[in-house]
């Protein structure tokens, strides 16, 4: 903090702690600081203190599709991690070991296909197969479309997550819907604009606080 020269070290420490937990406001460097208190309060930035929590929440939203994939991909009856590990082992082993590993993978896939094939053929099976063409995530286990549908569903969750976080970020910043901050940042990056001073994330903000001295109350701006 840029404190007045008459502040002692205790005053400086108090100012830092107070301004860290209270809302600050932004006034461009070339503009005059208004004397009206209500005008300053209307320009307060009330989200700086919550940025770490918001970033953790956004990271959790990106982690949720991965958790869903790890929990439900095993419902297909095949262990993808085991297949990936065996396939990766074929790249570093000897030719004999490589042939044995490929043979094990083939046996594993053959057993999986044999276990999950249709043993009965009736009206219910035909109906389920027709439903699986459009709803492979729920009814495509024996038809072999479960993993495909589930994989596409997870990818769709990632796309929806990225797009929805633009709206969440805009609502959190408290600005108008258009122009949205997320799309504005992408546009600036695409046009290679130089970032100087942002009124949403300013580098320098102002903080007001009052100190009682005898019978007087002094308002300081740092």
């Amino acid at each position: 903090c840029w404190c007045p020269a008459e502040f002692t070290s205790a005053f400086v420490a108090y100012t830092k702690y107070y301004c860290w937990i209270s809302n600050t406001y932004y006034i461009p460097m070339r503009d005059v600081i208004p004397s009206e208190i209500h005008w300053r309060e209307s320009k307060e930035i009330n989200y700086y203190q919550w940025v770490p929590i918001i970033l953790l929440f956004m990271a959790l939203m990106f982690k949720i599709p991965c958790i869903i994939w790890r929990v439900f991909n095993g419902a297909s009856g095949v262990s993808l991690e085991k297949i990936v590990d065996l396939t990766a082992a074929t790249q570093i082993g000897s030719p004999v070991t490589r042939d044995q590993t490929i043979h094990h993978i083939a046996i594993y896939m053959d057993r999986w296909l044999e276990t999950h094939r249709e043993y009965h053929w009736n009206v219910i099976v035909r109906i389920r197969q027709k439903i699986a063409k459009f709803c492979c995530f729920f009814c495509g286990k024996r038809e072999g479309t479960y993993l495909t549908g589930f994989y596409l569903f997870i990818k769709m969750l990632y796309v929806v997550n990225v797009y929805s976080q633009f709206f969440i970020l805009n609502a959190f910043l408290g600005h108008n819907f258009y122009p949205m901050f997320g799309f504005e940042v992408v546009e600036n990056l695409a046009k290679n604009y130089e970032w100087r001073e942002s009124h949403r994330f300013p580098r320098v903000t102002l903080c007001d606080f009052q100190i009682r001295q005898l019978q007087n109350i002094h308002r300081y701006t740092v």
Side-chain angles (χ1 to χ4, degrees):
C1 294
W2 187 272
C3 299
E6 66 269 16
F7 275 21
T8 63
S9 59
F11 284 5
V12 173
Y14 172 81
T15 302
K16 291 181 179 180
Y17 290 137
Y18 180 86
C19 293
W20 174 253
I21 63 175
S22 63
N23 296 333
T24 59
Y25 59 94
Y26 169 68
I27 303 295
M29 190 63 66
R30 297 181 179 180
D31 295 352
V32 179
I33 300 177
S35 58
E36 296 82 2
I37 303 301
H38 65 87
W39 196 95
R40 299 184 185 184
E41 293 177 350
S42 64
K43 297 296 182 179
E44 285 185 349
I45 303 174
N46 54 8
Y47 50 80
Y48 260 172
Q49 300 92 330
W50 306 100
V51 166
I53 298 177
I54 294 300
L55 292 178
L56 288 175
F57 173 74
M58 296 174 69
L60 178 62
M61 289 187 64
F62 277 107
K63 188 65 176 179
I64 288 177
C66 179
I67 296 175
I68 295 176
W69 169 260
R70 291 181 179 274
V71 171
F72 292 102
N73 77 80
S76 63
V78 60
S79 176
L80 293 180
E81 294 183 2
K82 181 177 180 180
I83 295 177
V84 171
D85 292 339
L86 291 174
T87 306
T90 61
Q91 305 298 321
I92 58 177
S94 62
V96 177
T97 306
R98 179 176 179 274
D99 294 338
Q100 292 177 352
T101 304
I102 294 176
H103 181 67
H104 291 326
I105 295 175
I107 293 177
Y108 180 78
M109 294 300 298
D110 183 69
R111 289 178 178 176
W112 174 68
L113 294 173
E114 181 68 20
T115 303
H116 293 85
R117 69 181 180 87
E118 290 288 355
Y119 291 95
H120 305 283
W121 185 259
N122 50 39
V123 177
I124 298 177
V125 174
R126 289 196 295 269
I127 294 175
R128 190 171 60 189
Q129 287 181 346
K130 291 182 179 180
I131 296 176
K133 294 180 180 179
F134 306 97
C135 191
C136 53
F137 174 60
F138 295 100
C139 304
K141 182 177 180 179
R142 294 189 180 276
E143 285 70 25
T145 58
Y146 176 86
L147 279 179
T148 303
F150 189 47
Y151 180 80
L152 295 177
F153 172 74
I154 294 299
K155 292 302 180 182
M156 184 180 64
L157 282 183
Y158 278 114
V159 174
V160 172
N161 184 27
V162 172
Y163 189 74
S164 62
Q165 288 208 21
F166 283 158
F167 294 88
I168 295 174
L169 182 61
N170 186 74
F172 173 66
L173 295 178
H175 295 280
N176 295 329
F177 186 81
Y178 289 105
M180 297 186 62
F181 179 72
F183 293 106
E184 182 180 333
V185 172
V186 173
E187 182 182 2
N188 292 337
L189 291 175
K191 295 182 179 179
N192 199 22
Y193 285 163
E194 182 180 358
W195 289 9
R196 296 182 180 273
E197 193 70 21
S198 172
H199 65 279
R200 293 187 175 93
F201 292 100
R203 299 175 182 176
V204 180
T205 58
L206 301 176
C207 174
D208 291 349
F209 61 94
Q210 295 178 341
I211 295 180
R212 183 185 298 274
Q213 295 179 346
L214 297 179
Q215 298 298 323
N216 299 322
I217 297 179
H218 294 272
R219 174 178 289 271
Y220 290 94
T221 300
V222 296

